Amino acid sequence: MNLLIVLFLGVLLDLTRSDILFSEGFYDYENLPGGENDPLNRPNTPFSTGTNRFADGFTSTGAFDTSSPRFPVYKGAVANVSDRYLRYTEYVKSAAEQGISPYGAGDRIREEARLKITNIPNYENIPAPKKTFPVLAAIKWNPSDFAIQEGETYNISVFGSDSGYSSQFWYDGGLRVNSEGYSSYFDSISNCYVGMGRCRPYLKKKRRLASANWMSLSCAIGQFVRPLVEVKPGDEAQYRWMPLDESTLQETIFDVGSHVQFRATYTGQLICFANDAHSQYWNNYGQIEVTAVRVSWPPSNITQYQESLLPSCDSAQVVYANRGSIDGPIKCNPNGGGAGWKLADVLNTEGTYGSGAPEEIFYDL
């Protein structure tokens, strides 16, 4: 009996020492979740922090250090990252159809994307970009694959019966509500929070968007997935993708209800959800079909950044090369303001040019 106790204590000590060594960074990378010798053949997903949210579920063999938390083993759709890149490719496709740039692009890329649409013959007759997508009540973040760009105007609507939205419902536990959701208040006489005519203890919790109703359709704008490195177009499936960053999306959330039209102040993908408390999604079910339409359409064909890359039409090089013509062999920017030549001198074909200075500063000698 004593021998069994000693053996048990010895095994426990080894396990404890192994756990300490593992926690301190002395571990076998190949046998980590997602490693080459993982018996469950799990994916080697990017490193992220769970923080009581659905995340990757597995640590990465390449970004695991002594400060890394331990992750629970997620199963099912949450742990599947094989098609995560599709959320990015569909978003980029939507951006191209609208003539806008993906998240993080600069002015030059934005203008080039817009000109790809305006250079299409009769582009004014192209229908406004539109997308209908489902929003599940039990999912905290529902991607739309619809691109939004700062400065453009969009319309988001929930279409249903003749009343506009009342034929589409989702459920908050046993409550059947539409995309407008339901309000709540604190009843001091009953000493409880009341929603839809009766006391409901869970209403004391904080919903994600405090200014909107419970279960009201709400949306955010940002990245649903994020590449770890710059992505080469066409090779998206070969890269690793991080999940969305809630701290970044939180500041972009706005209420939709049954309908909203807005001028975007953020760029990214439209991501929607039913406005509930973070811990209350377990008893939600049902879905609502949402339609997003770009209102500021068709795009403008005015160029700004492209012209800034050209030499100024009043520069000496262009004036002499084009022989006084703006439409000469060298393309130029008429608003460049390079050397200060007068436009009349630039267009002059008689061979006499002034300095560009005001006439009153010249004096007879």
Side-chain angles (χ1 to χ4, degrees):
M1 185 65 179
N2 293 334
L3 180 60
L4 292 176
I5 294 176
V6 172
L7 291 175
F8 175 76
L9 292 176
V11 172
L12 182 62
L13 178 61
D14 287 340
L15 291 175
T16 303
R17 291 181 66 246
S18 299
D19 183 70
I20 293 175
L21 291 175
F22 181 84
S23 299
E24 292 298 326
F26 299 94
Y27 41 75
D28 185 359
Y29 282 97
E30 294 181 354
N31 292 320
L32 284 174
E36 296 179 358
N37 299 327
D38 186 352
L40 299 180
N41 194 28
R42 291 172 289 193
N44 181 11
T45 56
F47 173 75
S48 62
T49 303
T51 63
N52 295 324
R53 302 285 188 270
F54 289 122
D56 283 324
F58 303 106
T59 56
S60 168
T61 61
F64 192 96
D65 57 30
T66 56
S67 63
S68 302
R70 299 177 186 178
F71 292 88
V73 179
Y74 291 128
K75 299 179 181 179
V78 179
N80 179 30
V81 296
S82 61
D83 61 350
R84 181 177 284 174
Y85 74 95
L86 293 176
R87 301 282 66 80
Y88 176 81
T89 57
E90 290 298 317
Y91 159 66
V92 172
K93 180 180 178 181
S94 173
E97 291 174 351
Q98 297 186 45
I100 62 179
S101 62
Y103 181 91
D107 291 340
R108 181 177 66 86
I109 302 299
R110 287 190 178 190
E111 186 167 293
E112 288 179 352
R114 177 165 50 83
L115 293 179
K116 288 180 179 179
I117 298 296
T118 59
N119 289 336
I120 299 175
N122 299 320
Y123 75 94
E124 299 90 348
N125 299 326
I126 299 176
K130 178 180 179 181
K131 181 68 179 289
T132 298
F133 58 95
V135 177
L136 280 66
I139 303 299
K140 291 185 176 181
W141 299 102
N142 294 264
S144 67
D145 298 335
F146 186 77
I148 302 289
Q149 180 171 274
E150 177 186 1
E152 304 298 339
T153 304
Y154 298 87
N155 187 308
I156 304 176
S157 302
V158 178
F159 297 105
S161 63
D162 294 338
S163 62
Y165 55 89
S166 62
S167 67
Q168 293 201 68
F169 295 91
W170 48 27
Y171 296 82
D172 183 10
L175 302 179
R176 183 171 181 259
V177 296
N178 56 32
S179 61
E180 293 283 350
Y182 62 97
S183 61
S184 64
Y185 64 93
F186 180 75
D187 185 2
S188 58
I189 297 178
S190 302
N191 193 30
C192 67
Y193 286 86
V194 177
M196 298 188 74
R198 59 175 294 182
C199 291
R200 304 182 189 277
Y202 66 86
L203 294 179
K204 67 181 180 181
K205 297 182 179 180
K206 182 179 179 181
R207 53 191 180 273
R208 294 169 64 182
L209 183 59
S211 59
N213 286 343
W214 289 93
M215 298 299 291
S216 174
L217 175 65
S218 302
C219 295
I221 301 172
Q223 292 179 289
F224 186 73
V225 293
R226 298 167 291 149
L228 284 179
V229 295
E230 187 174 355
V231 176
K232 179 181 178 181
D235 292 342
E236 290 85 0
Q238 309 301 321
Y239 292 83
R240 293 185 180 181
W241 298 86
M242 296 286 284
L244 57 79
D245 182 1
E246 287 193 352
S247 62
T248 302
L249 285 178
Q250 187 65 34
E251 64 183 13
T252 71
I253 294 177
F254 58 96
D255 184 36
V256 176
S258 62
H259 172 267
V260 69
Q261 181 168 308
F262 65 98
R263 186 174 185 270
T265 55
Y266 298 94
T267 297
Q269 180 177 169
L270 183 67
I271 308 171
C272 300
F273 58 90
N275 188 34
D276 205 351
H278 275 294
S279 60
Q280 292 298 116
Y281 279 83
W282 63 274
N283 66 345
N284 295 351
Y285 63 99
Q287 69 179 48
I288 285 178
E289 297 293 322
V290 181
T291 300
V293 182
R294 179 170 166 183
V295 177
S296 54
W297 185 266
S300 170
N301 60 359
I302 297 176
T303 60
Q304 296 177 347
Y305 193 86
Q306 294 291 324
E307 293 178 350
S308 68
L309 299 177
L310 300 175
S312 174
C313 289
D314 62 355
S315 64
Q317 174 191 5
V318 175
V319 169
Y320 286 107
N322 290 350
R323 298 181 180 275
S325 173
I326 295 180
D327 298 324
I330 297 182
K331 293 183 178 181
C332 60
N333 180 8
N335 300 317
W341 286 66
K342 293 180 180 180
L343 182 60
D345 287 339
V346 173
L347 301 178
N348 188 3
T349 60
E350 297 178 358
T352 57
Y353 302 102
S355 66
E359 299 294 344
E360 57 268 17
I361 69 170
F362 291 97
Y363 301 94
D364 294 332
L365 297 177

